[in-house]
Amino acid sequence: MHTQGLGGAARGSIDDPLIQGAPISVAVALLLLVSATLTLAQDSSANTELADMSLEELMSVRIDSVYGASGFKQKVTEAPASVTIVSAEDIQKYGYRTLADILRNVPGFYVTYDRNYSYLGVRGFGLPGQYNNSIALLIDGHRLNDNIYDGNLIGTDFPLDVDLIERVEVIRGPNSSLYVASAFLGVINVVTKRGYDIPAMSVAGDVASHGTYQGRLTYGNKFKNGLDLLLSSSFQYSHGQDRLFFKEFDAPTTNSGIAVNADDDQFHQFFGALSWGDFKLQGVLGSRDKGIPTAPFGSAFNVTDTRTIDARGYLDLKYERKLGRGWSLVSRTYYDLYNNDGTYVYDYSALGGPSRVLNKNFAHGKWWGENVTFSKQLLARQRVSVGTEFQDNFQQDQGNYDVQPFVQYFSDSRSSTVFSVYAQDEIRLRKDLILNVGLRHDRYSIFGGTTNPRAALIYNPWEKTAFKFLYGQSYRAPNLFELFYHAPGNEDAPTLQPEAAKTMELVWEQYFANHFRMTVSGFYYPIRGLIGQQVDPANGNAFFDNAGSLNLRGFDFALSRSLRDGLEGSVSYSLQGLTNTTTRMPVTNAPKHLVQASLATPLIKRKIFASMDLQYVSTRVTLSGAPSGAYVVPNFTLLTRNIFETWEISASIYNAFNQKFADPSGNGLPENVLLQDGRSFRIKVGYKFR
């Protein structure tokens, strides 16, 4: 129920010490990154290696492949989008703990945390309190957006252990010509490992700050008959911060603003995948229970029973087969469930009622669907794909009530369907020129249909050079929460219409000898009919409305290098401007500058690695109009592997310099900004049975 704000006052003053110090820290970090890269790359072993390589080997640069951009595997340089790939190697070397950790290090991305959920910002668009419903999130092509909030879970509530991720494909820009709704600002496709990637049995456990313990047990195998099997179970328990201070509650009656033992976090996850022949069956189930210390929505402060429980699961059966005459078939049948259960403690004593009442708020969804795609390779110049998808949302329930004395405030049970048809055509006009066009029509039983095109012209004048001219139109349908939620203090909005966005983007991708890759992109997103929460002045109730129009423009620059001895580094800079064309006011939680940098270097051949990653986020406007300070946060990881054959050990320090920084909060929270964790650590040990 966290919602977004579109306005604010002027941005922060240059006198803010965080703003003054951040560029200096970034400059120092980048200088260290570049100097370390040059120094280590020029040592005697590296020089010897290069001297022994042929000219062809020197010019050979591995170009990544991506699946999620077009629905089939293709080179990144030929994909109709700006793409970033994060590998399992990156996840391990940099000590990433969650999908949110992974994404905060992607160029143009940033993450906001309200001590309950993590929210993703993309290219300056990160309105606080949205449930990540402007991104289509996939696991192996299966869409994770739920059927109540159309949202995604990316923190500890993400239902998949990051140790099981083979790579993460980040595909920027509208993609509603291929994926139903929510592909508004981009697509994130999480590709999992297979059974043959796992050495029979493996276990891992870690201990971290704030009383945090995590464990994983995984079995994987590929049998002689071709059956590939992977089974994994994970758990975590975290006591959380013992004491958290919130100045908004700094009074004797509210424990001087200190919330005690109210930040706990625990989850359980199960993943299973079986593939044999043309069939692949996959199942995911994750559940997280999180204490909320922020006293949201007017609930009581400094209590331990205010919390949310989120469960997300699915079964997915995929059938993929090559047919005659060059045709291929991909069929996907799936069943999904999503449960969100919130418990909030209220004090009604000021109104003459009980001093402690448990209020329950829930959203329960179940749905099934079928997706069928036919594709055909026409000679060597054209690939055509056509498909259809049907989704039956047979349970979409929301409600709110007090437990004792029982009072029902809101109860709503619905069902709906979505029917879609789509087509995509990739045409190689010349050896160095590709035209990719797509069109999708979706018809919602709730409000009608929408049609969205996409087009890309990709010019490859040389093998490792690509210029992409991209155009896309996308939309985000209003979700069930925005349309029909009307508990006390809220009004429903059944006439709400979809948001719409158009994108014009120019991308230059360049691969160099010695394993360099550079990407430069300029983009312009006009967003219209933006769904935002308004307040009715007559009664103070909140409701959703198509109230805003935004213009998002900017550019991204990223440079990375990877050597064969394991040395790798990257740096990226994003300049982004988000303008509210309706009010001309600064937009909430929209940083103008983002910098990400990383460096991993082998200390002993490929057995011990030291790594650093860093994020800089410039000042952002909060809902109250006050600025939140800019910040720089570096993290360090030391990884050992293959020393004892079957053991892997890593140690990480997060926010190594104990930077004090805060994220803007969302509507429904009494805090203007929320302080984030200071310095913390994690030690992880893994063992592989042979």
Side-chain angles (χ1 to χ4, degrees), residues 143 145-147 150 176 179-183 389-391 393 396 415-420 440-452 475-480 483 498:
R143 186 170 174 267
N145 300 68
D146 66 77
N147 71 346
D150 200 27
S176 289
Y179 301 101
V180 61
S182 298
E389 182 173 5
F390 174 76
Q391 181 171 311
N393 301 299
Q396 293 174 299
S415 62
S416 65
T417 59
V418 185
F419 177 75
S420 310
R440 182 177 180 121
H441 177 79
D442 298 289
R443 177 156 293 276
Y444 289 75
S445 62
I446 293 178
F447 66 85
T450 179
T451 303
N452 294 275
Y475 70 100
R476 184 182 75 81
N479 57 58
L480 268 288
L483 286 166

Side-chain angles (χ1 to χ4, degrees), residues 522-538:
F523 53 87
Y524 172 57
Y525 293 7
I527 303 173
R528 301 295 179 258
L530 186 70
I531 298 174
Q533 192 176 57
Q534 311 296 317
V535 176
D536 188 338

Side-chain angles (χ1 to χ4, degrees), residues 11 38 44 96 202 226 259 289 307 335 342 367 463 547 560 566 571 579 587 608 663:
R11 294 186 180 272
L38 293 175
S44 57
Y96 298 150
S202 67
D289 186 343
R307 57 201 316 106
Y335 167 83
W367 62 101
E463 180 184 359
S560 62
V571 61
T579 305
V587 180
I608 300 181
D663 284 336

